Amino acid sequence: MITTERIEAAKEKFGQLLVEQLQRVEQMKAQGDFIDYKALDQIIIGVCGGDGIGPAITGQAQRVLEYLLADDVKAGKVAFRVIDGLTIERRAAENAAIPTAVLEELKKCHVILKGPTTTPRKGDPWPNVESANVAMRKELDLFANVRPVKIPEQGIDWTFFRENTEGAYAVGSKGVHVTEDLGVDFTVVTSQGTERIIRAAFEFAKNNGKTRVTAVTKANIIKTTDGKFLDIFREIAKEYPQIEADDWYIDIMTAKLVDEKRRKDFQVLVLPNLYGDILTDEAAEFQGGVGTAGSANLGKRYSMFEAIHGSAPRMVDEGRDIYADPSSVIRAGAMLLAHIGYNKEADKLYRALEICTVKEKKLVITGRNTGATSAAFADYLMETISNMN
Ligand code: IPM
Ligand code: MG
């Protein structure tokens, strides 16, 4: 093909992306407010195991949540639904990021507890399907990725509000190879998508006694999209005069997070998708690694809670999945409980996790038969909770 034809083909693709993104804008405009869980007759909690060790550890998390919510499960106010099939095998067979039947089931729930899923990389035996995580965030419009990082003894108490549906991820799998030599990816920002994440960060700050919200961009260089994010941040900040609002560029912010004198001062951070992805891994590392962090993916209609570690397929191959550490997905379960209004139960679970993994630590999980099984760990948690009242 000659160059002008290539350019025309690329323009065609770009035009299609614009149509899709403008449709998304219309959908956001039409969106109502956040769902009110109290107004529901029944809250449906989907438990979606995913790949590798996922089904084993989410199964244990479900046991613990069912134990904490036993009365309301019995009364029919809460129901659990196990959703199978979000596996790389099924996704490969259907050549879909999320199999159709799984997506249908997910949409019947209000909140979802999700295990890890495998994202194919170049060279893997799987077709290059989109990440199930990214697809779920888009399909269920889970626009706020909330990731808390707390290290009390160091005075660290950060809450990251990562935009979860736009930026470099919006059309991340739809870049264009214009010629053999020229590849172009796109990054997307919308007024509606930016406003809702920034407002969520300020509202969280206001409702949780936080006094500072920090935006992180690279608006000095990425002038259109990051520039817009920052402009909207400054506008919305005016509505919250009691909260200090400042902004940093991602490079210096990455450095400041290791500055022990300054980092304590950050409280709530709001940032575009890719910067949020990177900075939250750095932050979680201070807390003990990404495996210790839970993550909430919040939308107006649906929300999903997950651990941010991988699916460890080798553990399954070696028959060790029963020894996998379920504590991060259980921590994600605690975030889920708090989100749907079970604050007392969430609190108990956080306390029990602290006792069982730090203070008392009667059982140790090693990932193999030298340590406890995930089921024994869940038993230990429940026993700890039963001794709490
Ligand atoms: C995360 C992960 C995902 C992301 C991957 C698994 C697609 O790194 O949740 O941070 O890039 O968002
Ligand atoms: Mg990440």
Side-chain angles (χ1 to χ4, degrees):
M1 231 194 287
I2 52 168
T3 311
T4 43
E5 280 175 42
R6 297 282 189 140
I7 293 175
E8 284 313 310
K11 280 193 203 163
E12 175 87 16
K13 274 194 170 177
F14 183 52
Q16 189 51 41
L17 293 183
L18 297 184
V19 170
E20 288 167 19
Q21 291 304 309
L22 287 169
Q23 279 166 355
R24 204 168 58 79
V25 167
E26 292 310 314
Q27 282 162 10
M28 284 189 281
K29 282 188 192 165
Q31 210 167 40
D33 210 346
F34 282 97
I35 190 168
D36 177 5
Y37 298 104
K38 283 194 206 80
L40 299 173
D41 293 333
Q42 185 179 55
I43 302 176
I44 302 172
I45 303 177
V47 180
C48 187
D51 284 307
I53 57 170
I57 57 174
T58 51
Q60 295 308 324
Q62 180 180 351
R63 283 183 61 214
V64 175
L65 296 189
E66 278 179 334
Y67 171 76
L68 279 158
L69 300 179
D71 291 344
D72 282 7
V73 171
K74 212 184 274 164
K77 283 196 205 149
V78 176
F80 284 83
R81 271 198 206 153
V82 175
I83 301 171
D84 288 323
L86 191 63
T87 58
I88 187 66
E89 291 81 6
R90 280 276 297 279
R91 294 164 57 214
E94 286 193 28
N95 199 12
I98 304 179
T100 322
V102 173
L103 187 57
E104 250 170 54
E105 287 306 307
L106 290 171
K107 287 188 171 170
K108 291 181 195 156
C109 302
H110 299 104
V111 284
I112 295 148
L113 185 67
K114 187 181 85 47
T117 51
T118 300
T119 302
R121 281 192 293 200
K122 236 189 168 147
D124 281 356
W126 312 111
N128 200 14
V129 289
E130 190 184 24
S131 140
N133 258 11
V134 173
M136 199 182 294
R137 292 168 186 166
K138 284 185 196 161
E139 288 287 350
L140 305 181
D141 203 16
L142 309 173
F143 65 86
N145 186 193
V146 185
R147 296 184 168 184
V149 169
K150 288 194 178 100
I151 314 167
E153 61 280 13
Q154 294 179 26
I156 291 175
D157 185 356
W158 300 322
T159 309
F160 293 88
F161 277 74
R162 165 191 177 188
E163 203 295 317
N164 217 14
T165 49
E166 305 200 331
Y169 282 63
V171 288
S173 56
K174 294 185 180 166
V176 181
H177 289 289
V178 181
T179 68
E180 295 73 55
D181 299 321
L182 176 64
V184 181
D185 269 314
F186 305 101
T187 185
V188 175
V189 72
T190 66
S191 307
Q192 290 74 15
T194 307
E195 269 175 42
R196 62 186 186 177
I197 185 70
I198 290 174
R199 209 172 280 290
F202 276 100
E203 282 297 306
F204 170 84
K206 189 176 97 183
N207 296 330
N208 291 276
K210 308 286 181 193
T211 54
R212 182 178 180 190
V213 177
T214 303
V216 184
T217 70
K218 189 72 185 176
N220 50 341
I221 305 298
I222 315 291
K223 290 185 189 293
T224 304
T225 47
D226 280 7
K228 187 173 177 69
F229 192 94
L230 190 52
D231 286 347
I232 293 177
F233 174 78
R234 292 200 176 115
E235 272 312 301
I236 292 181
K238 290 183 195 154
E239 296 174 32
Y240 299 85
Q242 73 284 17
I243 295 172
E244 185 193 341
D246 61 343
D247 83 276
W248 293 67
Y249 295 134
I250 180 66
D251 49 351
I252 188 66
M253 175 53 85
T254 310
K256 280 297 141 196
L257 281 199
V258 291
D259 177 344
E260 288 178 8
K261 285 198 287 293
R262 300 293 298 282
R263 65 181 180 186
K264 295 193 284 283
D265 302 336
F266 297 113
Q267 298 179 15
V268 179
L269 299 100
V270 61
L271 60 184
N273 211 334
L274 182 59
Y275 307 143
D277 178 46
I278 298 167
L279 208 65
T280 54
D281 268 15
E282 185 195 10
E285 193 65 23
F286 301 135
Q287 182 183 263
V290 293
T292 61
S295 156
N297 297 269
L298 313 180
K300 296 203 166 163
R301 166 65 179 80
Y302 299 101
S303 290
M304 181 267 278
F305 299 78
E306 60 182 343
I308 50 178
H309 57 66
S311 57
R314 245 188 48 202
M315 289 189 76
V316 184
D317 293 345
E318 294 170 8
R320 293 190 283 119
D321 50 339
I322 58 165
Y323 297 105
D325 187 348
S327 55
S328 340
V329 76
I330 293 177
R331 194 174 299 279
M335 295 175 90
L336 182 154
L337 289 177
H339 181 71
I340 59 175
Y342 288 95
N343 292 298
K344 244 183 30 224
E345 289 76 4
D347 218 54
K348 277 190 189 170
L349 185 49
Y350 281 125
R351 269 165 40 216
L353 278 164
E354 170 88 6
I355 293 171
C356 298
T357 62
V358 184
K359 290 191 181 143
E360 191 182 78
K361 222 175 169 177
K362 272 203 223 154
L363 288 185
V364 181
I365 291 196
T366 60
R368 37 190 84 240
N369 63 7
T370 51
T373 61
S374 2
F377 179 78
D379 289 341
Y380 176 31
L381 268 179
M382 291 187 277
E383 194 190 295
T384 306
I385 293 166
S386 77
N387 291 332
M388 250 173 202
N389 303 313

